[in-house]
Amino acid sequence: MTYIEDFAKIIEEQLVRVERMKNAQDAPDFAAMDKIVIGTIDGDGIGPIIMDSCRAILEKLLADEIASGRIELRRIDGLTIENRIAKMETVPADVLAAIKECDLLLKGPTTTPGKGDGRPNLESANVTLRRELDLFANVRPVVIPEKNIDWIFYRENTEGEYALGSKGVEINDDLSIDFKVTTTAGTVRLARAAFEYAKNNGNKKVSIITKANIMKKTDGKFLDLCRQVAEEYPEIEVDDWYVDIMAANLIDDKINSNFNVFILPNLYGDIITDEAAQMQGGVGTAGSANIGGRYAMFEAIHGSAPRMVEDGIAEYANPASLCRAAIMMLRHMGLASKAEVLESAVDGAAVDLFMPGDGRGNTAYDFTDYVLAHI
Ligand code: IPM
Ligand code: MG
């Protein structure tokens, strides 16, 4: 009966998390802060290469603020797969403590050991950080001007299939069970963030994506709560779709430009945002913000590309996605004009440089030089 005890413990932990969410801190008022500490976390694989590029760019862009001490760029080391395995901790305690001393984080990709790749079964560092820092909204814009597409995805970032992703049970050789979690507090805060964005940006249309016909309890709750929050925004047009048909809609050029803001549970958001980023030009082109109360973390949407490192072509990694994350961070801090300067340079690089990521064309160093020359 030990499974039943384990399950009771899981439920208790989730109920404690619900109480914590109810008492969560509000976002800081950056304008009122004397000093803002931005932690930069290289990660592993192509992470150090693309982060070097971004750091050099931010050092130039924020030179005055750094010189005056208003902004500090602080390197956080040790979030590498080697160090994590050596310590057998997904996010080593000293690294997590250093991260929690920052206000904002810019993070490179980190390798997640895969099933059967011979490495210890550590949880994804992303998932751990999103949970530890309670970064509940994963915000991912995708813009394709020539198709008139202007999308922004509000992906739930701490619940769904991810909340207990490493706590599933292999009952025996014949049976495995995983869990999916939806909470009222977790859903409402995400929905509110998405509707506030829609309202503050000209009452954009909001589309709720679930599979509530199958995942009746969890997605059913998610859909009901998003619909309830929508009632507070009567001026905003709202529709809801199942995730399978939405995956099709996104690549249907007759209708895809009709969508603006999406609200999705965690796993569907993971999948759909890769599809959307690919339409924009590849997962290397999209930025991603993880927004919580006290903390916010900005990262590339892609992984650590260990294959590029093995093939000796890591220097051909494109820093654009991480730079787009930095642009979102600058906007989040209220530095909109700096964000625009960087955005136009990164847009220019997308046109003038050729970076297919397969060892041909321009390198990350060419990208850095290009952007430095255009800011
Ligand atoms: C993402 C990534 C992560 C996720 C991985 C690295 C755990 O795919 O940020 O979309 O699944 O959320
Ligand atoms: Mg993903």
Side-chain angles (χ1 to χ4, degrees):
M1 283 299 98
T2 139
Y3 304 127
I4 294 175
E5 279 156 31
D6 288 349
F7 189 51
K9 200 166 143 230
I10 282 173
I11 293 173
E12 258 159 50
E13 281 167 10
Q14 290 302 307
L15 290 172
V16 169
R17 189 173 67 83
V18 166
E19 288 312 308
R20 248 197 337 259
M21 272 189 279
K22 290 182 186 165
N23 300 315
Q25 243 173 289
D26 286 340
D29 176 7
F30 291 104
M33 286 164 70
D34 294 335
K35 182 170 184 189
I36 302 169
V37 179
I38 301 173
T40 64
I41 309 169
D42 283 8
D44 47 44
I46 58 170
I49 288 180
I50 59 174
M51 185 61 85
D52 274 353
S53 168
C54 268
R55 209 165 11 226
I57 290 164
L58 287 176
E59 273 164 9
K60 176 164 183 197
L61 194 67
L62 302 173
D64 292 345
E65 291 78 2
I66 293 172
S68 75
R70 170 102 210 289
I71 292 180
E72 178 188 339
L73 290 186
R74 185 182 292 174
R75 286 186 92 106
I76 311 262
D77 291 322
L79 198 66
T80 60
I81 187 71
E82 295 80 15
N83 189 41
R84 291 160 57 209
I85 288 180
K87 299 224 167 100
M88 274 312 286
E89 286 178 286
T90 296
V91 178
D94 57 330
V95 178
L96 185 61
I99 285 174
K100 286 189 170 172
E101 277 168 27
C102 302
D103 301 299
L104 295 167
L105 298 150
L106 185 63
K107 180 185 152 297
T110 46
T111 302
T112 305
K115 179 117 182 94
D117 70 1
R119 287 185 287 205
N121 180 25
L122 286 179
E123 191 181 36
S124 145
N126 281 28
V127 173
T128 306
L129 284 173
R130 290 168 185 169
R131 187 181 55 236
E132 287 291 329
L133 306 178
D134 201 20
L135 305 171
F136 62 84
N138 186 193
V139 184
R140 296 183 158 172
V142 165
V143 179
I144 312 171
E146 62 279 16
K147 290 191 170 176
N148 203 20
I149 285 174
D150 186 0
W151 294 332
I152 188 157
F153 296 87
Y154 276 76
R155 165 192 177 192
E156 202 292 319
N157 211 20
T158 51
E159 307 197 335
E161 298 78 356
Y162 285 65
L164 299 169
S166 55
K167 298 208 170 154
V169 210
E170 258 179 57
I171 308 285
N172 59 28
D173 278 353
D174 296 316
L175 177 64
S176 294
I177 297 182
D178 274 321
F179 304 107
K180 170 160 173 164
V181 179
T182 298
T183 69
T184 301
T187 307
V188 167
R189 63 187 183 174
L190 173 78
R192 198 154 276 137
F195 278 101
E196 280 297 305
Y197 173 86
K199 183 175 110 186
N200 295 331
N201 287 276
N203 293 333
K204 288 174 187 273
K205 177 173 131 152
V206 174
S207 303
I208 307 159
I209 317 297
T210 66
K211 191 74 185 175
N213 50 341
I214 304 299
M215 294 277 101
K216 292 184 191 296
K217 293 292 173 289
T218 47
D219 284 3
K221 183 181 191 62
F222 188 94
L223 177 57
D224 285 348
L225 289 167
C226 289
R227 282 273 176 202
Q228 273 173 38
V229 173
E231 282 168 22
E232 296 168 32
Y233 301 83
E235 65 286 6
I236 293 177
E237 186 191 339
V238 181
D239 54 17
D240 68 80
W241 300 81
Y242 296 137
V243 61
D244 48 351
I245 192 62
M246 186 49 88
N249 289 345
L250 290 190
I251 52 172
D252 181 349
D253 287 343
K254 293 188 294 301
I255 56 171
N256 54 15
S257 63
N258 297 339
F259 298 107
N260 300 134
V261 181
F262 299 86
I263 311 181
L264 315 88
N266 208 341
L267 184 60
Y268 312 143
D270 179 45
I271 297 165
I272 290 286
T273 56
D274 267 16
E275 182 192 8
Q278 186 60 37
M279 292 176 63
Q280 177 183 260
V283 292
T285 64
S288 171
N290 300 274
I291 310 288
R294 166 75 183 83
Y295 299 102
M297 181 174 87
F298 300 80
E299 63 186 350
I301 173 172
H302 56 76
S304 58
R307 239 168 305 176
M308 288 184 80
V309 180
E310 279 160 29
D311 295 348
I313 56 168
E315 69 196 59
Y316 290 90
N318 190 347
S321 178
L322 191 58
C323 273
R324 295 213 185 267
I327 292 165
M328 296 180 83
M329 180 178 75
L330 293 168
R331 292 218 165 89
H332 185 76
M333 304 162 69
L335 300 179
S337 58
K338 302 257 183 204
E340 250 139 66
V341 169
L342 182 52
E343 191 161 47
S344 90
V346 174
D347 285 346
V351 175
D352 293 337
L353 302 182
F354 176 60
M355 305 191 71
D358 59 5
R360 293 177 298 152
N362 294 104
T363 63
Y365 311 114
D366 298 333
F367 178 94
T368 311
D369 291 343
Y370 180 100
V371 174
L372 286 176
H374 287 83
I375 56 176

